[in-house]
Amino acid sequence: MAGKGLGLAVLLLLAARGAGEPRGCEAVRKVFQLRQLGPLRGLPHSPRAGVDLQVCTSKNPTCCNKKMEERYQTAAKQDIQQVLQTSSATLKFLISRNAAAFQETFETVIRLAENYTSTLFCNAYRNMAAEAATRIQEFFTDVGLFIFGTDISTEEFVNRFFDNLFPVVYNHIINPGQTDVSLEYAECLRMARRDIRPFGNIPKKVIGQMGRSLLPSRTFLQALNLGIEVINTTDHLHFSKDCSRALLRMQYCPHCQGLTLSKPCMGYCLNVIRGCLAYMAEVDLHWQAYIQSLEELSSAMRGTYDIEHVLLNFHSVVNDALIQARVHGPELSEQVNKVCGPPVRKTAQSPSCSFDQNKDNEGLKMFSRDSEETLANRRKEFISHLRLYRAFYGGLADQLCGNELAAADGLPCWNGEDVVRSYTLRVVGSGIKAQFGNPEVKVKGTDPVINQIIDKLKHIIQLLQSKSFPKYYNWDLRQTGSGGSVGEEISGDCDDEDGCGGSGIGEVKRVMKITD
C-alpha cells in the first residue's frame, strides 16, 4: 500500500516537472511522427518561446510552433470524429443489418405470394392462367413499390388488379366462349367492374388487408433508414471554432510542454465534450421517442396485420373472389349485357398455363415452421437490442470521456493549463441550455443540420404513432404518402367472420426463416 502511494507521488513529481520547461523535444517529435501528423522538418529540437502560438500558449518554453499547432488542430478534430464513429458503430450496424434483412424478407414474401397466386390459376383455373399472369405480376410489382417507398395508393392498385382481372374471369368463368372477347369489350368490362361488383365485397376487404399490413411495414422500413441517416449525420458533426480550439487545448496542448502521455481530467473532459456535443445532445429526447414508437408499432404488427399473413394468403382471397363470380355467373352475365351489350369476340384464343411451378417449390424451401423465426419474432429481437441504445445521445459525452478520453480517477491529469491532482472548475450538464457558464466551450445558437435531423425524427415518430396503424381491431385507414400528407380515407373494417384470413383452397401458414 505504501509502495503504491510512493509510486503516485513520484508520478505527480514527474508530471509537475514536465509541466514546466520540457528538457528536450525529442519525445514530442517522435509522437508527432508516429501519429503521422506531418513532416518533422522545421519542428523544434529544443524548447523555445511560443510567441506565435494561438491556443497552446504558455509562460514556459514550448516544443511547439505555429505549424505544429495547425497540425494538432486538424488531428484533434479527426480524433474526435473517429471516437464518435467508433462509439456508434455497433448501433449503426444493428440498424443497417436489420434494415437490409427486413427488406430482403419483404422481397422474398412478395415473390412467393406472387408464385402462390400464379400456382392457384395453373392448378385450378388453367385455361385463364396465362392471361391472369400479367395482372398478378403488375399487382405484386405495385405491392413492392409501395412497401419500398413509392407514393402510390393501395386502394388504387388493388382496384386496378380486380378491374383487369374481371374481363379474364368473364371470358372464362361467367360467360365462357370458344374465343376471347374483343379489346373494346374487355375495356367496357374493366370500366364496369366496380358497379357490377362481380367479386362482391372482397376487393374492399383486400384494400383493408393491404393497407393494414403494407403501410406499417413501409413505415417501419422508412424509420430504420432514417435511423441510419441520424447516425451518419451525427458521426460527421461540424464543430464550431470554439469547440475546435477546446479540443486542441485538451488533447494536444500538453504535448507542447512535453506531456505526451497525459490525459485530461474527467471534469475537464466532460466540459469540453459536452460543449462540443451540446447540439447532438438535443437529439436525445427525440431518439428515445423514435425507439419507443418503433417498439409500439412492432408489437402491433401481428396476426392479420402481419405482412406475411396477408400476402401469403392473398391467393386464397383471390380464389374466394373467383368462386363468388362463378356462383353468381348468370346474374352477372345479365348485368354485363345491360351495361356492355352482348359479348363481342375475336378469333384469338388464350394460351394455356406457362408458369414454372419449380420456382415456387424452390421458394418454399426457404420457409420454416419454426415459430421463433417469424417476422414478428425477428422484429421483437431487433427492438430488444435497439432498446439498449435508447439513451445513446444523452449519455454520449459521458461515454466518450469515461471509456476513451479522460484519465482514470486518482491519477494526475491535464486541466487545460497544467498537470494537477483534480479539476476544480464547475462541470456543466448535457444539452444546449446546460452550457451557460461552461468554462471551456462557448455554445451559441443552434445547429441547422441537427435541427433538420430532429425535424425528420419528429415526422417519422408521427407516422409511427399514426392512427392508421392497427392499435385497435377496427379502425379507418388513412393512406400516408412519402411526404407525410394525409390522403383519402379507406375503410379497413374486417373481422374473422369476413374471412380476412382467406379461405377456399386453404390458408398457407408458413413463417420466414431469416439468417444474418
Side-chain angles (χ1 to χ4, degrees), residues 89-142:
T90 305
L91 171 60
K92 183 177 177 180
F93 177 72
L94 172 68
I95 299 177
S96 58
R97 182 193 65 179
N98 278 277
F102 282 119
Q103 177 163 330
E104 182 181 356
T105 301
F106 292 153
E107 289 171 349
T108 302
V109 171
I110 291 169
R111 187 180 72 252
L112 290 173
E114 180 179 345
N115 287 351
Y116 291 164
T117 310
S118 297
T119 300
L120 164 71
F121 281 89
C122 280
N123 290 344
Y125 307 96
R126 193 174 186 83
N127 59 341
M128 60 179 182
E131 284 183 87
T134 302
R135 282 74 175 174
I136 295 167
Q137 185 178 28
E138 289 173 350
F139 174 79
F140 283 103
T141 297
D142 287 336

Side-chain angles (χ1 to χ4, degrees), residues 299-312:
S299 297
M301 292 164 63
R302 294 176 179 272
T304 54
Y305 306 121
D306 188 342
I307 186 173
E308 237 179 331
H309 175 92
V310 170
L311 290 182
L312 295 182

Side-chain angles (χ1 to χ4, degrees), residues 21 41 43 63 89 102 163 180-181 218 234 239 272 283 296 321 345 370 386 437 447 483:
E21 177 183 339
R41 189 179 67 255
L43 271 59
C63 283
F102 282 119
D163 289 346
D180 296 338
V181 294
R218 165 194 174 113
T234 54
F239 296 112
V272 172
V283 175
E296 291 173 357
R345 298 187 177 275
D370 182 358
L386 186 63
D447 187 316

Side-chain angles (χ1 to χ4, degrees), residues 233 237 279-280 282-283 286 432 445-458:
T233 300
L237 193 65
Y279 304 124
M280 193 188 296
E282 297 297 307
V283 175
H286 308 286
I432 294 175
T446 57
D447 187 316
V449 176
I450 293 295
N451 287 345
Q452 186 179 36
I453 210 71
I454 286 175
D455 286 341
K456 289 184 177 182
L457 277 171
K458 288 179 178 178

Side-chain angles (χ1 to χ4, degrees), residues 35-52:
R35 297 200 179 189
Q36 299 181 335
L37 301 181
L40 292 178
R41 189 179 67 255
L43 271 59
H45 286 274
S46 58
R48 54 182 284 280
V51 293
D52 55 345

Side-chain angles (χ1 to χ4, degrees), residues 158-306:
V158 170
N159 274 326
R160 183 164 57 245
F161 171 74
F162 284 105
D163 289 346
N164 291 336
L165 188 61
F166 182 40
V168 182
V169 173
Y170 175 84
N171 192 46
H172 294 280
I173 291 180
I174 298 173
N175 193 351
Q178 295 298 314
T179 55
D180 296 338
V181 294
S182 67
L183 293 176
E184 294 79 7
Y185 198 80
E187 182 61 28
C188 180
L189 292 171
R190 271 192 292 270
M191 298 292 291
R193 196 276 303 173
R194 299 183 201 189
D195 293 325
I196 295 174
R197 300 180 71 227
F199 308 119
N201 203 38
I202 289 175
K204 181 182 177 183
K205 292 178 181 178
V206 173
I207 290 169
Q209 288 179 349
M210 290 296 161
R212 271 179 276 197
S213 61
L214 302 189
L215 182 56
S217 296
R218 165 194 174 113
T219 308
F220 190 81
L221 272 184
Q222 288 177 335
L224 296 192
N225 289 324
L226 177 60
I228 298 169
E229 183 182 347
V230 170
I231 298 167
N232 284 336
T233 300
T234 54
D235 272 355
H236 299 88
L237 193 65
H238 174 74
F239 296 112
S240 68
K241 183 178 180 181
D242 199 68
C243 165
S244 298
R245 292 166 68 93
L247 289 171
L248 167 59
R249 188 179 299 110
M250 182 180 83
Q251 293 177 262
Y252 286 102
C253 284
H255 290 221
C256 298
Q257 297 185 31
L259 304 171
T260 55
L261 299 178
S262 70
K263 281 193 168 188
C265 304
M266 178 60 76
Y268 175 47
C269 179
L270 288 173
N271 275 341
V272 172
I273 302 301
R274 284 175 178 174
C276 288
L277 303 187
Y279 304 124
M280 193 188 296
E282 297 297 307
V283 175
D284 181 51
L285 287 177
H286 308 286
W287 181 257
Q288 291 192 43
Y290 160 80
I291 293 179
Q292 179 67 29
S293 301
L294 264 177
E295 183 175 359
E296 291 173 357
L297 176 61
S298 178
S299 297
M301 292 164 63
R302 294 176 179 272
T304 54
Y305 306 121
D306 188 342

